[in-house]
């Protein structure tokens, strides 16, 4: 039985379709993941900037007083957590997740700082829409989005 030269190409279209489909689905999930990360970063950055402005507008006797400033820092953390929750970012951040620094050291002493910065680590977890497999493909299911916002101190 002789084979015709055209018979060896049989099924190649299905094979090519499979690989194109696979690449397209992975690209779609990657775009969804990148879009979600950009959205989280944008919401987090805006919330942190508002909280940093609130802390930076506090009077020097409040900002540098270690007996009073924990309440101010807790209010800043709550402001960030509330903004994340309002935007639907889940799981959000817990209490004490926002670190406030004055001139890159803890806010204490008698000298008003030149700048105030907020540092936050937002855990990003799989969302259950198919991106879970893509996140797991990178070797971990726990990602963190770290953000720092620094503003000038202007009471």
């Amino acid at each position: 039985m002789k084979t015709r030269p055209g018979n060896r190409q049989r099924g190649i279209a299905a094979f090519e379709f499979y690989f194109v489909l696979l690449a397209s689905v992975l690209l779609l999930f990657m775009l969804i993941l990148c879009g979600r990360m950009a959205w989280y970063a944008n919401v987090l950055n805006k919330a942190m900037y508002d909280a940093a402005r609130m802390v930076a507008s506090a009077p020097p006797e409040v900002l540098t007083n270690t007996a009073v400033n924990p309440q101010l820092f807790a209010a800043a953390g709550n402001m960030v957590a509330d903004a994340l929750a309002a935007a639907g970012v889940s799981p959000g951040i817990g209490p004490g997740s926002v670190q406030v620094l004055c001139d890159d050291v803890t806010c204490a002493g008698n000298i008003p700082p030149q700048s105030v910065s907020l540092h936050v680590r937002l855990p990003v977890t799989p969302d259950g829409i198919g991106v879970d497999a893509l996140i797991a493909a990178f070797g971990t299911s726990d990602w963190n989005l770290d953000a720092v916002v620094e503003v000038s101190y202007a009471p």
Side-chain angles (χ1 to χ4, degrees):
M1 178 173 172
K2 282 188 167 181
T3 60
R4 293 186 304 209
N7 283 346
R8 291 183 9 198
Q9 294 292 318
R10 207 169 179 183
I12 195 71
F15 188 71
E16 289 174 357
F17 175 75
Y18 169 75
F19 281 110
V20 169
L21 181 66
L22 180 65
S24 298
V25 168
L26 285 176
L27 181 63
L28 176 68
F29 285 147
M30 193 62 163
L31 287 172
I32 291 171
L33 179 63
C34 289
R36 191 178 88 169
M37 293 295 281
W39 175 52
Y40 280 13
N42 189 30
V43 169
L44 181 62
N45 193 28
K46 287 182 179 186
M48 287 179 56
Y49 182 77
D50 291 342
R53 289 303 317 151
M54 180 190 73
V55 172
S57 64
E61 51 275 356
V62 172
L63 188 60
T64 58
N65 185 346
T66 56
V68 178
N69 67 10
Q71 290 126 3
L72 177 66
F73 301 159
N78 290 338
M79 190 175 185
V80 172
D82 291 345
L84 291 173
V89 174
S90 102
I93 58 171
S97 297
V98 176
Q99 181 184 18
V100 180
L101 299 176
C102 298
D103 295 331
D104 294 326
V105 295
T106 57
C107 298
N110 297 328
I111 302 170
Q114 297 294 316
S115 65
V116 174
S117 61
L118 267 66
H119 300 255
V120 173
R121 173 169 280 185
L122 175 68
V124 178
T125 57
D127 59 1
I129 61 168
V131 182
D132 306 352
L134 187 62
I135 291 175
F138 287 107
T140 182
S141 62
D142 297 323
W143 287 8
N144 291 313
L145 185 62
D146 295 328
V148 177
V149 170
E150 185 171 345
V151 296
S152 298
Y153 180 66

